[in-house]
Amino acid sequence: MRFDIFTLFPEVCAPYVQESILKRAQAAGLLEVQLHNIRDHAPGKHQVTDDEPYGGGGGMVMKPEPVFNAVEAVLGIEAGAAPAAAPVILLTPQGRTFNQAIAYELAQHERIALVCGRYEGFDERIREHLATDELSIGDYVLTGGELAALIVVDAVARLLPGVLGDPTGAEDDSFAMGLLEYPHYTRPAEYRGWRVPDILVSGDHAKVARWRRQQALQRTRRRRPDLLDRAELTDADRKLLGE
Ligand code: 6GU
């Protein structure tokens, strides 16, 4: 799968995608991440990318030409032609809120363009005539869309077959199963007097599975009752929650 990230600050994005799992995924040919500087596509000697808002008011607005030029050049769209086959997603606080379901949806695409906003926002014509979707990562305001784009790349990349070392990969994740995850422990069995729950060292796999499910259910009820309301629970789950 290929991501094209359009940004005024490619240097902000580069280090994150060059380490750890994303690095390995790219080396294995499972993932490609191309960074594009929107400024390189801005016309004129000064390569201006922002301007004052029509109608006045504070802040600056991202000009349409550099963004259209950049996305069209990289995706190979002719100016004014039909929209790109690949989704063109704006990262903006006005978008729909990104979540695990959207990550699964995006992982089905061969290629995705992510366009990072800066300043007060995009000229509305970018929204109307270039973007196919808009995403936010939550109800707070960042100085730009770069962190949001990286979050989208990260969350989607780890869903691609082969990217995670563990083949059961993302199946047990919080949110994948609609619940928060159960508690994890590793060695030592006792640390500063705090012991790992006996059940986990008992070797009884059925009991371990039951305990984990119960922990996940209880933890979700306590921390994220909204998730529990939407989760598909079995009769056995209800019994575990009642206990
Ligand atoms: Cl995608 N961009 C900005 N600037 N702020 C945000 C955001 C995106 N998502 C949440 N806050």
PDB file of all heavy atoms in Angstrom, residues 90-95 115-119 134-149 152, ligand 1:
ATOM      1  N   LEU A  90      -8.128  15.108   3.403  1.00  0.00           N
ATOM      2  CA  LEU A  90      -7.613  16.277   4.121  1.00  0.00           C
ATOM      3  C   LEU A  90      -7.587  15.968   5.605  1.00  0.00           C
ATOM      4  O   LEU A  90      -8.528  15.397   6.138  1.00  0.00           O
ATOM      5  CB  LEU A  90      -8.521  17.492   3.914  1.00  0.00           C
ATOM      6  CG  LEU A  90      -8.734  18.052   2.517  1.00  0.00           C
ATOM      7  CD1 LEU A  90      -9.477  19.388   2.624  1.00  0.00           C
ATOM      8  CD2 LEU A  90      -7.423  18.223   1.785  1.00  0.00           C
ATOM      9  N   LEU A  91      -6.498  16.374   6.255  1.00  0.00           N
ATOM     10  CA  LEU A  91      -6.424  16.265   7.711  1.00  0.00           C
ATOM     11  C   LEU A  91      -6.799  17.617   8.285  1.00  0.00           C
ATOM     12  O   LEU A  91      -6.082  18.608   8.079  1.00  0.00           O
ATOM     13  CB  LEU A  91      -5.009  15.866   8.147  1.00  0.00           C
ATOM     14  CG  LEU A  91      -4.600  14.401   7.998  1.00  0.00           C
ATOM     15  CD1 LEU A  91      -5.669  13.479   8.567  1.00  0.00           C
ATOM     16  CD2 LEU A  91      -4.299  14.039   6.564  1.00  0.00           C
ATOM     17  N   THR A  92      -7.927  17.654   8.942  1.00  0.00           N
ATOM     18  CA  THR A  92      -8.459  18.901   9.469  1.00  0.00           C
ATOM     19  C   THR A  92      -9.367  18.607  10.658  1.00  0.00           C
ATOM     20  O   THR A  92     -10.041  17.573  10.677  1.00  0.00           O
ATOM     21  CB  THR A  92      -9.250  19.675   8.377  1.00  0.00           C
ATOM     22  OG1 THR A  92     -10.336  20.380   8.997  1.00  0.00           O
ATOM     23  CG2 THR A  92      -9.831  18.747   7.341  1.00  0.00           C
ATOM     24  N   PRO A  93      -9.393  19.516  11.642  1.00  0.00           N
ATOM     25  CA  PRO A  93     -10.272  19.293  12.793  1.00  0.00           C
ATOM     26  C   PRO A  93     -11.748  19.216  12.397  1.00  0.00           C
ATOM     27  O   PRO A  93     -12.571  18.770  13.188  1.00  0.00           O
ATOM     28  CB  PRO A  93     -10.021  20.507  13.698  1.00  0.00           C
ATOM     29  CG  PRO A  93      -8.863  21.232  13.136  1.00  0.00           C
ATOM     30  CD  PRO A  93      -8.608  20.744  11.759  1.00  0.00           C
ATOM     31  N   GLN A  94     -12.075  19.622  11.175  1.00  0.00           N
ATOM     32  CA  GLN A  94     -13.470  19.575  10.732  1.00  0.00           C
ATOM     33  C   GLN A  94     -13.879  18.237  10.153  1.00  0.00           C
ATOM     34  O   GLN A  94     -15.039  18.026   9.801  1.00  0.00           O
ATOM     35  CB  GLN A  94     -13.717  20.649   9.659  1.00  0.00           C
ATOM     36  CG  GLN A  94     -13.437  22.041  10.150  1.00  0.00           C
ATOM     37  CD  GLN A  94     -13.838  23.088   9.128  1.00  0.00           C
ATOM     38  OE1 GLN A  94     -14.668  22.847   8.276  1.00  0.00           O
ATOM     39  NE2 GLN A  94     -13.248  24.263   9.244  1.00  0.00           N
ATOM     40  N   GLY A  95     -12.903  17.315  10.003  1.00  0.00           N
ATOM     41  CA  GLY A  95     -13.209  16.017   9.403  1.00  0.00           C
ATOM     42  C   GLY A  95     -13.964  15.105  10.348  1.00  0.00           C
ATOM     43  O   GLY A  95     -14.145  15.412  11.522  1.00  0.00           O
ATOM     44  N   VAL A 115      -3.456  15.029   2.833  1.00  0.00           N
ATOM     45  CA  VAL A 115      -3.083  16.428   2.662  1.00  0.00           C
ATOM     46  C   VAL A 115      -3.166  17.138   4.008  1.00  0.00           C
ATOM     47  O   VAL A 115      -4.232  17.180   4.624  1.00  0.00           O
ATOM     48  CB  VAL A 115      -3.987  17.125   1.630  1.00  0.00           C
ATOM     49  CG1 VAL A 115      -3.510  18.547   1.382  1.00  0.00           C
ATOM     50  CG2 VAL A 115      -4.032  16.328   0.329  1.00  0.00           C
ATOM     51  N   CYS A 116      -2.016  17.644   4.464  1.00  0.00           N
ATOM     52  CA  CYS A 116      -1.941  18.244   5.798  1.00  0.00           C
ATOM     53  C   CYS A 116      -2.178  19.741   5.728  1.00  0.00           C
ATOM     54  O   CYS A 116      -1.500  20.443   4.974  1.00  0.00           O
ATOM     55  CB  CYS A 116      -0.563  18.010   6.409  1.00  0.00           C
ATOM     56  SG  CYS A 116      -0.122  16.272   6.479  1.00  0.00           S
ATOM     57  N   GLY A 117      -3.106  20.219   6.526  1.00  0.00           N
ATOM     58  CA  GLY A 117      -3.365  21.653   6.600  1.00  0.00           C
ATOM     59  C   GLY A 117      -2.426  22.332   7.585  1.00  0.00           C
ATOM     60  O   GLY A 117      -1.922  21.703   8.505  1.00  0.00           O
ATOM     61  N   ARG A 118      -2.191  23.597   7.340  1.00  0.00           N
ATOM     62  CA  ARG A 118      -1.496  24.479   8.289  1.00  0.00           C
ATOM     63  C   ARG A 118      -2.293  25.773   8.313  1.00  0.00           C
ATOM     64  O   ARG A 118      -3.297  25.898   7.621  1.00  0.00           O
ATOM     65  CB  ARG A 118      -0.045  24.751   7.848  1.00  0.00           C
ATOM     66  CG  ARG A 118       0.896  23.628   8.185  1.00  0.00           C
ATOM     67  CD  ARG A 118       1.550  23.857   9.552  1.00  0.00           C
ATOM     68  NE  ARG A 118       2.021  22.582  10.133  1.00  0.00           N
ATOM     69  CZ  ARG A 118       2.697  22.506  11.270  1.00  0.00           C
ATOM     70  NH1 ARG A 118       2.990  23.607  11.947  1.00  0.00           N
ATOM     71  NH2 ARG A 118       3.057  21.347  11.747  1.00  0.00           N
ATOM     72  N   TYR A 119      -1.849  26.723   9.066  1.00  0.00           N
ATOM     73  CA  TYR A 119      -2.553  28.012   9.158  1.00  0.00           C
ATOM     74  C   TYR A 119      -3.980  27.796   9.659  1.00  0.00           C
ATOM     75  O   TYR A 119      -4.278  26.811  10.305  1.00  0.00           O
ATOM     76  CB  TYR A 119      -2.538  28.767   7.818  1.00  0.00           C
ATOM     77  CG  TYR A 119      -1.201  28.739   7.125  1.00  0.00           C
ATOM     78  CD1 TYR A 119      -1.056  28.190   5.870  1.00  0.00           C
ATOM     79  CD2 TYR A 119      -0.062  29.253   7.774  1.00  0.00           C
ATOM     80  CE1 TYR A 119       0.188  28.161   5.245  1.00  0.00           C
ATOM     81  CE2 TYR A 119       1.181  29.219   7.146  1.00  0.00           C
ATOM     82  CZ  TYR A 119       1.291  28.669   5.891  1.00  0.00           C
ATOM     83  OH  TYR A 119       2.499  28.631   5.276  1.00  0.00           O
ATOM     84  N   GLU A 134     -12.424  13.945   4.619  1.00  0.00           N
ATOM     85  CA  GLU A 134     -11.707  14.772   5.596  1.00  0.00           C
ATOM     86  C   GLU A 134     -11.687  14.035   6.912  1.00  0.00           C
ATOM     87  O   GLU A 134     -12.708  13.517   7.348  1.00  0.00           O
ATOM     88  CB  GLU A 134     -12.410  16.128   5.774  1.00  0.00           C
ATOM     89  CG  GLU A 134     -12.478  16.935   4.494  1.00  0.00           C
ATOM     90  CD  GLU A 134     -13.179  18.269   4.705  1.00  0.00           C
ATOM     91  OE1 GLU A 134     -13.035  18.863   5.788  1.00  0.00           O
ATOM     92  OE2 GLU A 134     -13.889  18.699   3.780  1.00  0.00           O
ATOM     93  N   LEU A 135     -10.511  13.978   7.531  1.00  0.00           N
ATOM     94  CA  LEU A 135     -10.388  13.293   8.821  1.00  0.00           C
ATOM     95  C   LEU A 135      -9.797  14.217   9.869  1.00  0.00           C
ATOM     96  O   LEU A 135      -8.922  15.043   9.581  1.00  0.00           O
ATOM     97  CB  LEU A 135      -9.489  12.055   8.684  1.00  0.00           C
ATOM     98  CG  LEU A 135     -10.031  10.879   7.874  1.00  0.00           C
ATOM     99  CD1 LEU A 135      -8.971   9.788   7.764  1.00  0.00           C
ATOM    100  CD2 LEU A 135     -11.315  10.329   8.487  1.00  0.00           C
ATOM    101  N   SER A 136     -10.276  14.033  11.089  1.00  0.00           N
ATOM    102  CA  SER A 136      -9.730  14.665  12.292  1.00  0.00           C
ATOM    103  C   SER A 136      -9.281  13.531  13.190  1.00  0.00           C
ATOM    104  O   SER A 136      -9.755  12.405  13.054  1.00  0.00           O
ATOM    105  CB  SER A 136     -10.834  15.473  12.971  1.00  0.00           C
ATOM    106  OG  SER A 136     -10.514  15.739  14.323  1.00  0.00           O
ATOM    107  N   ILE A 137      -8.364  13.793  14.106  1.00  0.00           N
ATOM    108  CA  ILE A 137      -7.994  12.718  15.044  1.00  0.00           C
ATOM    109  C   ILE A 137      -8.586  12.939  16.428  1.00  0.00           C
ATOM    110  O   ILE A 137      -8.341  12.157  17.339  1.00  0.00           O
ATOM    111  CB  ILE A 137      -6.467  12.514  15.137  1.00  0.00           C
ATOM    112  CG1 ILE A 137      -5.756  13.803  15.522  1.00  0.00           C
ATOM    113  CG2 ILE A 137      -5.928  11.951  13.834  1.00  0.00           C
ATOM    114  CD1 ILE A 137      -4.323  13.571  15.985  1.00  0.00           C
ATOM    115  N   GLY A 138      -9.387  13.966  16.603  1.00  0.00           N
ATOM    116  CA  GLY A 138     -10.017  14.151  17.912  1.00  0.00           C
ATOM    117  C   GLY A 138     -10.407  15.598  18.119  1.00  0.00           C
ATOM    118  O   GLY A 138     -10.037  16.472  17.331  1.00  0.00           O
ATOM    119  N   ASP A 139     -11.133  15.828  19.180  1.00  0.00           N
ATOM    120  CA  ASP A 139     -11.692  17.159  19.409  1.00  0.00           C
ATOM    121  C   ASP A 139     -10.738  18.075  20.171  1.00  0.00           C
ATOM    122  O   ASP A 139     -10.939  18.362  21.353  1.00  0.00           O
ATOM    123  CB  ASP A 139     -13.035  17.041  20.137  1.00  0.00           C
ATOM    124  CG  ASP A 139     -14.091  16.395  19.261  1.00  0.00           C
ATOM    125  OD1 ASP A 139     -13.895  16.380  18.023  1.00  0.00           O
ATOM    126  OD2 ASP A 139     -15.090  15.905  19.800  1.00  0.00           O
ATOM    127  N   TYR A 140      -9.695  18.473  19.477  1.00  0.00           N
ATOM    128  CA  TYR A 140      -8.729  19.440  19.985  1.00  0.00           C
ATOM    129  C   TYR A 140      -8.057  19.997  18.742  1.00  0.00           C
ATOM    130  O   TYR A 140      -8.181  19.408  17.663  1.00  0.00           O
ATOM    131  CB  TYR A 140      -7.692  18.778  20.908  1.00  0.00           C
ATOM    132  CG  TYR A 140      -7.269  17.420  20.441  1.00  0.00           C
ATOM    133  CD1 TYR A 140      -6.316  17.281  19.428  1.00  0.00           C
ATOM    134  CD2 TYR A 140      -7.877  16.271  20.938  1.00  0.00           C
ATOM    135  CE1 TYR A 140      -5.964  16.037  18.964  1.00  0.00           C
ATOM    136  CE2 TYR A 140      -7.524  15.019  20.475  1.00  0.00           C
ATOM    137  CZ  TYR A 140      -6.567  14.905  19.498  1.00  0.00           C
ATOM    138  OH  TYR A 140      -6.229  13.668  19.022  1.00  0.00           O
ATOM    139  N   VAL A 141      -7.352  21.102  18.864  1.00  0.00           N
ATOM    140  CA  VAL A 141      -6.780  21.729  17.671  1.00  0.00           C
ATOM    141  C   VAL A 141      -5.259  21.676  17.707  1.00  0.00           C
ATOM    142  O   VAL A 141      -4.635  22.049  18.693  1.00  0.00           O
ATOM    143  CB  VAL A 141      -7.260  23.191  17.539  1.00  0.00           C
ATOM    144  CG1 VAL A 141      -6.676  23.820  16.275  1.00  0.00           C
ATOM    145  CG2 VAL A 141      -8.781  23.240  17.480  1.00  0.00           C
ATOM    146  N   LEU A 142      -4.671  21.158  16.627  1.00  0.00           N
ATOM    147  CA  LEU A 142      -3.224  21.082  16.472  1.00  0.00           C
ATOM    148  C   LEU A 142      -2.755  22.220  15.569  1.00  0.00           C
ATOM    149  O   LEU A 142      -3.561  22.852  14.897  1.00  0.00           O
ATOM    150  CB  LEU A 142      -2.842  19.749  15.845  1.00  0.00           C
ATOM    151  CG  LEU A 142      -3.355  18.502  16.566  1.00  0.00           C
ATOM    152  CD1 LEU A 142      -3.144  17.263  15.713  1.00  0.00           C
ATOM    153  CD2 LEU A 142      -2.646  18.360  17.909  1.00  0.00           C
ATOM    154  N   THR A 143      -1.441  22.443  15.535  1.00  0.00           N
ATOM    155  CA  THR A 143      -0.914  23.502  14.678  1.00  0.00           C
ATOM    156  C   THR A 143      -0.905  23.088  13.211  1.00  0.00           C
ATOM    157  O   THR A 143      -0.732  23.913  12.326  1.00  0.00           O
ATOM    158  CB  THR A 143       0.519  23.884  15.093  1.00  0.00           C
ATOM    159  OG1 THR A 143       1.320  22.703  15.069  1.00  0.00           O
ATOM    160  CG2 THR A 143       0.533  24.484  16.481  1.00  0.00           C
ATOM    161  N   GLY A 144      -1.066  21.788  12.940  1.00  0.00           N
ATOM    162  CA  GLY A 144      -1.086  21.329  11.562  1.00  0.00           C
ATOM    163  C   GLY A 144      -1.513  19.880  11.490  1.00  0.00           C
ATOM    164  O   GLY A 144      -1.634  19.210  12.518  1.00  0.00           O
ATOM    165  N   GLY A 145      -1.736  19.393  10.281  1.00  0.00           N
ATOM    166  CA  GLY A 145      -2.243  18.045  10.101  1.00  0.00           C
ATOM    167  C   GLY A 145      -1.185  16.942  10.107  1.00  0.00           C
ATOM    168  O   GLY A 145      -1.519  15.768   9.991  1.00  0.00           O
ATOM    169  N   GLU A 146       0.090  17.309  10.247  1.00  0.00           N
ATOM    170  CA  GLU A 146       1.156  16.310  10.104  1.00  0.00           C
ATOM    171  C   GLU A 146       1.058  15.167  11.111  1.00  0.00           C
ATOM    172  O   GLU A 146       1.178  13.990  10.752  1.00  0.00           O
ATOM    173  CB  GLU A 146       2.541  16.974  10.202  1.00  0.00           C
ATOM    174  CG  GLU A 146       2.932  17.779   8.965  1.00  0.00           C
ATOM    175  CD  GLU A 146       2.201  19.118   8.851  1.00  0.00           C
ATOM    176  OE1 GLU A 146       1.606  19.567   9.855  1.00  0.00           O
ATOM    177  OE2 GLU A 146       2.218  19.704   7.756  1.00  0.00           O
ATOM    178  N   LEU A 147       0.860  15.520  12.380  1.00  0.00           N
ATOM    179  CA  LEU A 147       0.753  14.451  13.390  1.00  0.00           C
ATOM    180  C   LEU A 147      -0.449  13.566  13.089  1.00  0.00           C
ATOM    181  O   LEU A 147      -0.386  12.347  13.250  1.00  0.00           O
ATOM    182  CB  LEU A 147       0.631  15.043  14.797  1.00  0.00           C
ATOM    183  CG  LEU A 147       1.890  15.693  15.364  1.00  0.00           C
ATOM    184  CD1 LEU A 147       1.574  16.402  16.679  1.00  0.00           C
ATOM    185  CD2 LEU A 147       2.978  14.650  15.574  1.00  0.00           C
ATOM    186  N   ALA A 148      -1.515  14.175  12.645  1.00  0.00           N
ATOM    187  CA  ALA A 148      -2.722  13.409  12.314  1.00  0.00           C
ATOM    188  C   ALA A 148      -2.440  12.458  11.145  1.00  0.00           C
ATOM    189  O   ALA A 148      -2.846  11.290  11.176  1.00  0.00           O
ATOM    190  CB  ALA A 148      -3.868  14.360  11.984  1.00  0.00           C
ATOM    191  N   ALA A 149      -1.731  12.938  10.127  1.00  0.00           N
ATOM    192  CA  ALA A 149      -1.410  12.088   8.975  1.00  0.00           C
ATOM    193  C   ALA A 149      -0.563  10.897   9.418  1.00  0.00           C
ATOM    194  O   ALA A 149      -0.783   9.757   8.988  1.00  0.00           O
ATOM    195  CB  ALA A 149      -0.682  12.900   7.908  1.00  0.00           C
ATOM    196  N   VAL A 152      -2.708   8.331  11.078  1.00  0.00           N
ATOM    197  CA  VAL A 152      -3.474   7.549  10.108  1.00  0.00           C
ATOM    198  C   VAL A 152      -2.572   6.506   9.440  1.00  0.00           C
ATOM    199  O   VAL A 152      -2.924   5.321   9.344  1.00  0.00           O
ATOM    200  CB  VAL A 152      -4.141   8.466   9.062  1.00  0.00           C
ATOM    201  CG1 VAL A 152      -4.725   7.659   7.913  1.00  0.00           C
ATOM    202  CG2 VAL A 152      -5.215   9.335   9.721  1.00  0.00           C
TER     203      VAL A 152
HETATM  204 CL1  6GU B   1      -6.311  16.483  11.393  1.00  0.00          CL
HETATM  205  N1  6GU B   1      -5.516  18.867  12.165  1.00  0.00           N
HETATM  206  C1  6GU B   1      -5.407  19.844  13.077  1.00  0.00           C
HETATM  207  N2  6GU B   1      -4.791  20.969  12.729  1.00  0.00           N
HETATM  208  N3  6GU B   1      -5.881  19.749  14.303  1.00  0.00           N
HETATM  209  C2  6GU B   1      -6.490  18.599  14.612  1.00  0.00           C
HETATM  210  C3  6GU B   1      -6.645  17.547  13.731  1.00  0.00           C
HETATM  211  C4  6GU B   1      -6.139  17.714  12.481  1.00  0.00           C
HETATM  212  N4  6GU B   1      -7.303  16.552  14.337  1.00  0.00           N
HETATM  213  C5  6GU B   1      -7.541  16.972  15.562  1.00  0.00           C
HETATM  214  N5  6GU B   1      -7.058  18.215  15.741  1.00  0.00           N
END
